[in-house]
Amino acid sequence: MKKKILTLPVFLLALALGGAAQADGDPASGFKVFKKCGACHKIKPGQPSQVGPNLHGLFGREAGTGDFGRYSEAMKASDVVWTEETLAAWLRDPRGFIPGNKMAFPGLKKEEDVRDLIAFLKRATR
Ligand code: HEC
């Protein structure tokens, strides 16, 4: 009987802690997820854009306005400003979020990867 009474609060505490950690995302795991992006994207200031635009200074920037000469018309005309919310939507489904864009990436399937990657990008693009 005693055991049962203890189990529920412990379970709820674990849920609460787990939830908080997930909402923030883990930048170290996000660094690993970024390996999927690094073939096309540089992230440090001053590095020339490659296949894709350099992502330095991404947050708060309007889509298609970085130092990159090959943005698609779709990207430039999108009126998207990069925030945690717009990035999450983009990373889940690039084609669905900005139809006609030229980024050859299908999207991330795991919600955890999206969160962790955004936590990493928030630090690494500053
Ligand atoms: C195969 C190369 C490639 C991969 C892999 C790739 N991207 Fe891209 N990315 C591009 C290209 C090309 C564009 C420009 C698309 C356009 O203009 O339509 C782009 C655009 C973007 C933009 C918009 C940037 C801006 O300046 O508005 C973001 C943000 C972005 N990518 C993030 C990512 C992230 C994060 C990943 C990894 C999950 C990733 N990309 C994977 C090629 C790639």
Side-chain angles (χ1 to χ4, degrees):
M1 203 54 212
K2 211 176 174 191
K3 206 173 168 192
K4 257 193 181 157
I5 294 166
L6 263 180
T7 315
L8 183 64
V10 168
F11 173 66
L12 287 178
L13 180 67
L15 252 189
L17 289 176
Q22 280 179 356
D24 283 350
D26 174 10
S29 304
F31 171 69
K32 291 185 198 140
V33 180
F34 187 74
K35 294 197 171 126
K36 297 183 182 182
C37 325
C40 298
H41 289 289
K42 293 292 177 193
I43 199 165
K44 293 197 182 119
Q47 291 176 314
S49 293
Q50 307 218 320
V51 179
N54 186 320
L55 299 179
H56 179 70
L58 185 68
F59 287 80
R61 181 162 98 191
E62 216 181 288
T65 61
D67 186 8
F68 180 63
R70 295 184 303 279
Y71 282 115
S72 63
E73 286 308 316
M75 182 65 82
K76 287 191 280 190
S78 68
D79 281 337
V80 165
V81 174
W82 295 120
T83 63
E84 284 182 47
E85 290 73 27
T86 54
L87 265 177
W90 167 250
L91 295 174
R92 284 181 201 124
D93 179 15
R95 267 172 223 164
F97 188 60
I98 302 180
N101 84 80
K102 289 194 307 196
M103 178 161 116
F105 185 76
L108 295 169
K109 293 202 174 56
K110 285 197 246 162
E111 217 23 54
E112 196 187 351
D113 285 354
V114 172
R115 265 192 307 261
D116 291 347
L117 180 56
I118 289 174
F120 167 74
L121 287 173
K122 260 164 80 178
R123 296 185 183 195
T125 60
R126 267 199 299 229

